Amino acid sequence: MTMPHERTRSVIHTRNFLVELSRDPSLPERIRSNAKLLLHHYPTRDDMVTAGRIEEQSNSLAGLLGPIFSSPIDE
């Protein structure tokens, strides 16, 4: 089972990977363009931390699912 901090870290690392792809001149332009397009709507590290904080403070979700994301990030 994936823990909230692991899920959050994975999303952040995936964004970093997309940034690397978008800037790598050795890759075809199509790959770099696709990575840039995905980044337009991909959450930032700050977005993920904020989402984690909101979920951790929400009493309505605590009984049902618990948080999906986490504000503390172990990198």
Side-chain angles (χ1 to χ4, degrees), residues 1 4 51-69:
M1 182 167 148
R53 284 189 184 132
I54 291 168
E55 290 179 11
E56 290 161 356
Q57 294 173 358
S58 173
N59 290 330
S60 62
L61 289 176
L64 299 173
L65 300 172
I68 304 298
F69 297 108

Side-chain angles (χ1 to χ4, degrees), residues 3-16 43-53 56 68-75:
M3 302 301 293
H5 71 280
E6 295 169 325
R7 189 173 297 111
T8 302
R9 187 177 57 235
S10 177
V11 171
I12 291 168
H13 286 215
T14 300
R15 179 181 180 79
N16 293 341
T44 64
R45 182 184 194 284
D46 290 340
D47 293 336
M48 296 306 302
V49 171
T50 300
R53 284 189 184 132
E56 290 161 356
I68 304 298
F69 297 108
S70 171
S71 62
I73 302 166
D74 305 326
E75 293 194 59

Side-chain angles (χ1 to χ4, degrees), residues 22 33 62 68:
S22 73
S33 294
I68 304 298

